[in-house]
């Protein structure tokens, strides 16, 4: 009983903290996004969860290339709570021989802490020719003594923004699915060894609820993709492999219903279940990492790192995994008990 209460309490906390804790202040956009060498321009910076008019001076702004070559803003002015204007003088030469130079944006003040926007501005030669290098002109200031925001908030990640909260729902669904499919496979092995009808019922019950959580994982992933990639389905390799894995388990139930003899159906389905679980790992965890993917962890696309998932997010994420897992086990046990009761009624 205690673990059922734990599941309810953990999921209530996940919904409460996961949906209500605000994100850290961050940057969403900077304009213009392309300037020429030697240009003097005003960069308009858009913030999120910011209060620029309340920020204590000084508000410092830098454009940084590869963490080494730095341009400091000459002046910074708050237009409103979410808009800053920073003036820059771009040298006529590059810090390295190049015709195009991507620059990261760094904004820092005591109220908000340090905020970053990767590849915010690009210095682009109008002629397309390589501009001579003069490293010293790009060292007008150092990015140091950055402030930290100590509030209990979640990480602000460009592109993800508020959709990062789906981490507490989408990712645990896959973990619960994997646990339930593992238990289903184990009980299929037990059934093959002992011909125990209850083991077969458990294998079917865990697989059924595992398939349910897999579908929930697919749906929550499509919702996340719609906000971050612009479409719910992009034929991404992980989406395709996940759909294939769910079809493999859907075939498990079709196979169970294809035989009139219960014992024959159970044994053939048990063998199939073992091979279905063996296919799960390469389909979901190995193949998507080999090919280029929009998902974190795909080729050329790093997984969430320690900075992306800060300590505050982990304090919610791990209870979410445990809570959803306990809920999945609870549902599966209820489904198995119902299946066994139905079999007993049919026998009578």
């Amino acid at each position: 009983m205690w673990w059922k209460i734990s599941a309810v309490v953990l999921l209530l906390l996940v919904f409460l903290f996961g949906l209500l804790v605000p994100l850290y202040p961050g940057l969403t956009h900077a304009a213009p996004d392309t300037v020429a060498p030697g240009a003097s321009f005003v960069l308009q910076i858009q913030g999120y969860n910011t209060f620029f008019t309340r920020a204590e001076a000084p508000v410092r702004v830098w454009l940084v290339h590869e963490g080494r070559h730095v341009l400091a803003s000459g002046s910074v002015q708050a237009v409103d709570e979410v808009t800053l204007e920073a003036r820059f003088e771009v040298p006529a030469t590059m810090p390295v021989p190049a015709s195009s130079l991507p620059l990261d944006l760094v904004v820092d003040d005591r109220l908000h802490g340090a905020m970053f926007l990767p590849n915010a501005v690009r210095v682009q030669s109008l002629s397309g020719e390589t501009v001579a290098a003069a490293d010293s002109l790009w060292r007008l200031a150092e990015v140091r003594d950055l402030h930290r925001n100590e509030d209990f908030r979640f990480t602000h990640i460009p592109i993800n923004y508020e959709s990062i909260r789906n981490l507490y729902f989408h990712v645990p669904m896959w973990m619960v699915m994997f646990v339930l499919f593992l238990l289903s496979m184990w009980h299929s092995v037990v059934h093959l060894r002992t011909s125990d009808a209850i083991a077969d019922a458990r294998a079917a019950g865990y697989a059924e609820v595992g398939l349910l959580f897999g579908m929930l994982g697919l749906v929550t992933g499509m919702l996340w993709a719609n906000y971050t990639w612009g479409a719910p389905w992009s034929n991404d390799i992980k989406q395709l492999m996940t759909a294939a894995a769910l079809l493999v388990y859907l075939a498990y139930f079709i196979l169970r219903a294809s035989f009139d003899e219960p014992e024959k159906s159970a044994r053939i389905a048990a063998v199939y279940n073992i091979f279905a679980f063996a296919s799960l790992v390469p389909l979901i965890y190995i193949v998507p990492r080999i090919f280029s993917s929009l998902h974190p962890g795909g080729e050329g696309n790093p997984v969430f790192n320690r900075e992306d998932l800060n300590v505050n997010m982990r304090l919610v994420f791990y209870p979410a995994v445990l809570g959803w897992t306990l809920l999945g086990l609870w549902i599966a046990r209820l489904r198995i008990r119902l299946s066994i009761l139905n079999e007993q009624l049919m026998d009578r």
Side-chain angles (χ1 to χ4, degrees), residues 16 31 55 78 92 101 125 180 219 225 240 259 305 321:
L16 179 65
L101 193 74
S125 171
L180 293 174
V219 170
L240 295 173
F259 298 92
N305 57 39
V321 173

Side-chain angles (χ1 to χ4, degrees), residues 34-310:
T34 304
V35 296
S40 174
F41 71 102
V42 174
L43 185 67
Q44 190 170 80
I45 304 164
Q46 296 296 316
Y48 184 82
N49 279 354
T50 54
F51 302 93
F52 288 136
T53 59
R54 310 180 201 177
E56 300 178 15
V59 177
R60 301 178 295 168
V61 183
W62 299 275
L63 290 173
V64 185
H65 175 64
E66 294 184 348
R68 301 192 305 272
H69 311 293
V70 181
L71 281 180
S73 172
S75 62
V76 181
Q77 179 181 358
V79 178
D80 52 40
E81 300 286 28
V82 296
T83 308
L84 276 181
E85 288 185 347
R87 179 171 292 279
F88 286 94
E89 302 287 339
V90 181
T93 55
M94 301 287 201
V96 292
S99 61
S100 180
L101 193 74
L103 301 175
D104 301 330
L105 175 63
V106 182
V107 178
D108 177 75
D109 69 83
R110 187 183 299 276
L111 175 63
H112 302 98
M115 297 174 287
F116 304 89
L117 184 63
N119 299 321
V121 179
R122 182 174 294 274
V123 180
Q124 181 79 46
S125 171
L126 296 178
S127 63
E129 297 180 357
T130 299
V131 181
D135 184 80
S136 60
L137 298 177
W138 287 81
R139 295 183 181 275
L140 303 180
E142 288 186 294
V143 180
R144 63 181 182 180
D145 300 326
L146 297 177
H147 296 90
R148 290 183 62 88
N149 191 320
E150 301 296 340
D151 297 340
F152 187 88
R153 296 192 174 204
F154 295 147
T155 308
H156 176 279
I157 304 176
I159 300 177
N160 280 295
Y161 302 120
E162 294 289 349
S163 70
I164 192 64
R165 303 177 191 278
N166 198 14
L167 177 78
Y168 311 127
F169 306 95
H170 172 61
V171 178
M173 297 299 170
W174 297 123
M175 296 184 175
V176 178
M177 179 196 73
F178 191 85
V179 169
L180 293 174
F181 283 164
L182 175 63
L183 290 171
S184 175
M185 183 272 296
W186 170 252
H187 285 288
S188 287
V189 172
V190 172
H191 175 74
L192 288 174
R193 293 181 59 187
T194 63
S195 297
D196 185 1
I198 293 180
D200 176 60
R202 288 173 177 168
Y206 284 124
E208 189 173 335
V209 180
L211 185 61
L212 170 64
F213 273 86
M215 290 179 175
L216 289 174
L218 190 63
V219 170
T220 53
M222 291 172 65
L223 290 173
W224 201 348
N226 190 49
Y227 285 96
T228 56
W229 304 341
W233 192 267
S234 306
N235 285 328
D236 180 76
I237 185 64
K238 196 156 191 176
Q239 288 180 323
L240 295 173
M241 292 298 100
T242 298
L246 295 181
L247 288 174
V248 167
Y249 269 90
L250 188 61
Y252 168 75
F253 295 101
I254 296 174
L255 183 65
R256 290 184 66 90
S258 299
F259 298 92
D260 295 328
E261 300 176 33
E263 298 239 354
K264 183 178 181 180
S265 172
R267 294 190 67 82
I268 293 177
V271 173
Y272 179 91
N273 196 13
I274 295 170
F275 285 98
F277 184 80
S279 71
L280 194 66
V281 174
L283 283 175
I284 293 183
Y285 297 102
I286 298 178
V287 174
R289 292 176 180 270
I290 298 174
F291 296 93
S292 179
S293 173
L294 294 169
H295 270 84
E299 185 182 81
N301 194 357
V303 297
F304 286 127
N305 57 39
R306 182 174 297 178
E307 293 300 320
D308 291 335
L309 303 185
N310 63 2

